[in-house]
Amino acid sequence: MALMIDAELCPQNHRCPLIRLCPVEAISQEGFSLPVIDPTRCIECGKCMRHCGMQAIHKAAQNG
């Protein structure tokens, strides 16, 4: 199950500190835009979910 970043909870007014925290470099961000998690790189270790001060990262719901 992929992880997603909730745009309503993420302030998007600074460089996301979770980018450096991700052990597989799955989080990227252009400027101060909403960070993006690459599902092909993410190993779902949970570090970003535990360390996001805004609690903006969640497991995405599966369709079907």
Side-chain angles (χ1 to χ4, degrees):
M1 188 178 295
L3 299 178
M4 59 162 283
I5 300 174
D6 187 332
E8 292 184 22
L9 296 176
C10 179
Q12 302 169 53
N13 62 359
H14 62 278
R15 191 78 177 141
C16 179
L18 302 176
I19 293 170
R20 291 191 321 249
L21 181 75
C22 181
V24 294
E25 300 179 353
I27 303 173
S28 62
Q29 181 183 29
E30 291 196 27
F32 293 159
S33 65
L34 183 69
V36 176
I37 299 174
D38 181 346
T40 64
R41 298 183 95 169
C42 179
I43 58 172
E44 297 183 36
C45 66
K47 281 186 174 185
C48 58
M49 288 178 25
R50 288 190 304 273
H51 288 89
C52 179
M54 302 306 292
Q55 298 176 338
I57 301 179
H58 305 277
K59 289 189 177 188
Q62 286 184 319
N63 294 333

